[in-house]
Amino acid sequence: MQPDLTEAPTLQDILAARTRIAPHIRRTPILHADRIAPAAGCRLYLKPETLQVTGAFKLRGALNTALQLSPEQIARGFISSSSGNHAQGLSYAARMLGTKVLLVLPVGTPALKVENTRALGAEVILFDGDNAARWREVYRIAAENGYEVIHGFEDPRVMAGQGTIGCEILEDLPEVETVLVPLGGGGLISGVATAIKALRPKVRVVGCEPALTPKYHRSRAEGRRVSLPLRDTIADGLRISVPGRNPWPIIERHVDEIVLVGEEDIVAGMKALASDAKLIAEPAAAIAIGALLGGAVSVRPDETVCAILTGGNWGLADLARVFGASGPGS
C-alpha cells in the first residue's frame, strides 16, 4: 500500500515556480550525447544543470522558496544544511535578496563547495555529526536567531522549483521515453516526477541511487521508510541514510523504478561525460550515466532517454584523483 502524501507540490505549483524563477536562472539546454549513446545502449540526451548559474540544479528550488517569503521573513535571514549545492543555491538567493544566510555543512563537504558558499557571502559552520544531529543544530540556531529554515528536499516549494526541470525536458525533448534522475534526499525526483506524470504519464521516471546508500531502494522493498547506516560514497551529494519524509510518498506514487549504481560505474559515468560530452560532472551528477553504462537500468537501442546532470561543483584536485594522471579517457 502506498503511503499517504504529507506535503507535496502540485503541477500548478511547478508551473508557478517556472514563472517566478525564470528571470533569475539559466534554462539549461538538452544535449544529444551521441558519442556516449552506443555504450549506453539507447538514444541518449543530457540535461546539464552543471551549466546552471551556481553550477547545480539546487538554485531553482532555493530561489522558488525564497521568492515566496514575506519581507519580514527575508529580513530575518535564512539557514539550512546541505552537502554543498543547496548551500550555494540558497546563498545566491540570499545575496540577491540582500539578506544573511548561515549554512551548517558536514565536515566532509568538498572544499570547492565550501569555498563557493562563502564566496557568495554566507556564514558556514562545519559540523561533525550525522544528518539528524546536523539538522537538530540547524533548528536550534534558527530558534535562537529567528532565521527562516529552508530545507533542501523536504520543503514542497523547493520540490516545485526542481520540478521545473521536468517541464523543460518535456518541452525541449517531446519524444522522451525515459528520464533518469539522481536520487539523494528526494527533492529533485519528487518535483520532476510530479511534473512528468501530470503532463506525460507514460514517460518512465527512474531514480538512480548509490549502491552504498540504498535508502529509497531498500525502503521500497520493505514498504516503509527505513534508516540505514551512513556509508561513504564518492557521490557525496547523494549520501543520505533515510528517505525524506515528504519526498517518500511522492516517489512511491510517481517514480517507476529505483536502481542501484556501484562506485566504479559512477566514476565511469564521470569519465564518459568528460571525454565524450566535454562536460565536468560531480559524481552525484554522473550516476545516471553510470547506471546506463553498468546495465543497472534496462533500455532499448531505439529508446529516447534523458539523463539529468545535477551539478558540476567538484574541485580540480578531486577530479585529478579520480581520473588519474592520464586523464578522463583512461
Side-chain angles (χ1 to χ4, degrees), residues 22 104 127 130 136 143 180 183 188 194 201 221 238 241 243 275 299 307:
V104 181
F127 185 81
D130 64 17
R136 285 194 295 271
L180 304 180
L183 179 50
L188 170 63
T194 296
L238 308 179
S241 62
S275 62
V299 291

Side-chain angles (χ1 to χ4, degrees), residues 5-18 20-21 57-66 68 86 150-167 181 183 185-196 216 243-252 254-255 308:
L5 289 173
T6 47
E7 294 184 70
T10 65
L11 177 61
Q12 290 69 33
D13 294 329
I14 294 169
L15 296 176
R18 289 191 69 184
R20 188 176 294 116
I21 68 177
F57 77 98
K58 291 281 193 175
L59 178 63
R60 295 174 183 258
L63 272 175
N64 185 53
T65 305
Q68 294 183 73
H86 178 61
I150 299 180
H151 200 289
F153 56 83
E154 293 284 8
D155 194 316
R157 299 167 297 184
V158 169
M159 296 183 214
Q162 324 304 26
T164 60
I165 295 172
C167 295
V181 190
L183 179 50
L188 170 63
I189 200 169
S190 295
V192 168
T194 296
I196 287 175
Y216 277 102
R245 181 177 59 87
N246 288 323
W248 157 248
I250 302 171
I251 290 168
E252 285 304 283
H254 295 316
V255 174
I308 300 175

